[in-house]
Amino acid sequence: MTKSLLLAALAAISLSVVAAQGIVPLADKRFTYDNIPYRVDTDVGQPRGEQKGYNICNSTTEGPSSLCQTAFINSLDDFCLWAPAEPGHTVGDIEGEMIAWCTKPGHGTRVIPDGTILGVQFTKSPDYVQVVGFMDQTKINMIAGDAGGEMDPHGADRRGNPMGGLLFTNAWTGGMIQAVEWHNFNGANIFCLKACDPRGPRAPQMCEHIYDTQGCGFNAPSNVRNGTFESCASDSQSPPGQGPPVAPASSQCSTYESTAIYGASASVTVQIPGAATMSFTPTKGAPTTTSRPTSAASSSPGAGTSAGASGSTSSGGPAATQTGASRREEVARFGIIGAVAVLLAFAI
Ligand SMILES: *[C@@H]1O[C@H](CO)[C@@H](O)[C@H](O)[C@H]1NC(C)=O
Ligand SMILES: *[C@@H]1O[C@H](CO)[C@@H](O)[C@H](O)[C@H]1NC(C)=O
């Protein structure tokens, strides 16, 4: 390498490091529901380019071409997942460009097609709300067999995956609140989305974002069962990475037929479980109330480390190089490469 090439490389590296430092992290941005900007991500000159879609979503954006990147997790019948806008790419390849797919219309997003969701458990714990479920991931533009990966409001450059992605919920107060810390793993026909209550003390820990390759069983252990659709109160998990993953006890579960809560035949608005005054009377779909005790995550189907796991780890592909931990390592590596380049430049 000539000296000028080396200097040019050094300059490029320094610029990208300096530029990345100017970014306002997505996890530091706060929005009220009535004051969402057209695009949350403003760091358009950065290496990853512009935000894929937009955050103001309405009836004109809704439908199969929506690029809405404002998602929700309100209840068993009303939540969204981050999935590709077009088929043909693994989650790991385009986690920065994922868009919102929601169970019902009304959010200005794409609508998850009938037959996609095969079983779900919604839980509300003292620290978070969460959905974990089984799906046919090909129906939301994912590649069959893709072991998937993680979306969260962080990433190497802190612009989030997806960049500019927002998540709101009305499950905590009844009004829409931004879930600042959240994680969503989609892969191996399993999904989990957890939104951590920003008013609680443990939101960043409960929604930890560094275990990208560990999947739902590790990051969001639950009592989900394939074929069952239920909404429960729940104890809180241990924060991911702190002790073995154990599915916390869930209680006050109400179960529904999928046709009662999803698709054109949907007629039930599922109430949030676990409120101190459990006085609601579901109008339809007469839920059965059950309790299930704590169980080891590994014993429930699909709650192993499969979702978003091995594929991204073993492939050495983009997902594997983009784990939260390795992202930080990448940043650190850039610093080291820069320092080495400086030394070389002076030596030449
Ligand atoms: C609907 O959303 C689009 C896309 O974000 C935006 O350009 C438009 O202004 C919105 N319409 C209204 C009435 O808010
Ligand atoms: C869930 O159940 C459906 C229907 O029985 C089945 O086709 C699908 O493979 C199951 N999903 C997983 C991940 O086991």
Side-chain angles (χ1 to χ4, degrees), residues 38 54-61:
Y38 176 68
Y54 38 77
N55 299 99
I56 294 180
C57 310
N58 51 43
S59 56
T60 64
T61 65

Side-chain angles (χ1 to χ4, degrees), residues 78-216:
D78 186 12
F79 65 88
C80 312
L81 300 174
W82 296 113
E86 300 94 25
H89 303 276
T90 63
V91 171
D93 276 343
I94 55 161
E95 58 187 6
E97 288 87 48
M98 299 296 239
I99 58 158
W101 292 69
C102 303
T103 55
K104 47 171 68 174
H107 297 306
T109 65
R110 303 215 188 171
V111 178
I112 294 174
D114 283 359
T116 305
I117 298 178
L118 305 174
V120 191
Q121 188 189 43
F122 173 96
T123 49
K124 183 180 181 193
S125 94
D127 293 285
Y128 56 81
V129 286
Q130 166 182 287
V131 284
V132 183
F134 293 82
M135 64 175 165
D136 175 354
Q137 66 188 30
T138 63
K139 288 191 159 61
I140 51 171
N141 283 351
M142 289 175 62
I143 293 176
D146 179 11
E150 176 180 2
M151 275 59 69
D152 62 60
H154 298 276
D157 58 9
R158 299 171 294 168
R159 296 171 68 188
N161 286 308
M163 292 182 284
L166 289 185
L167 181 65
F168 280 85
T169 178
N170 62 16
W172 291 318
T173 63
M176 283 294 180
I177 292 182
Q178 181 191 359
V180 176
E181 294 287 354
W182 49 267
H183 58 210
N184 171 210
F185 295 79
N186 295 329
N189 282 332
I190 292 168
F191 64 87
C192 51
L193 169 63
K194 189 198 297 169
C196 290
D197 191 334
R199 299 165 307 162
R202 298 195 290 174
Q205 291 76 36
M206 299 302 298
C207 283
E208 185 54 84
H209 59 91
I210 63 172
Y211 300 107
D212 302 40
T213 60
Q214 301 294 311
C216 292

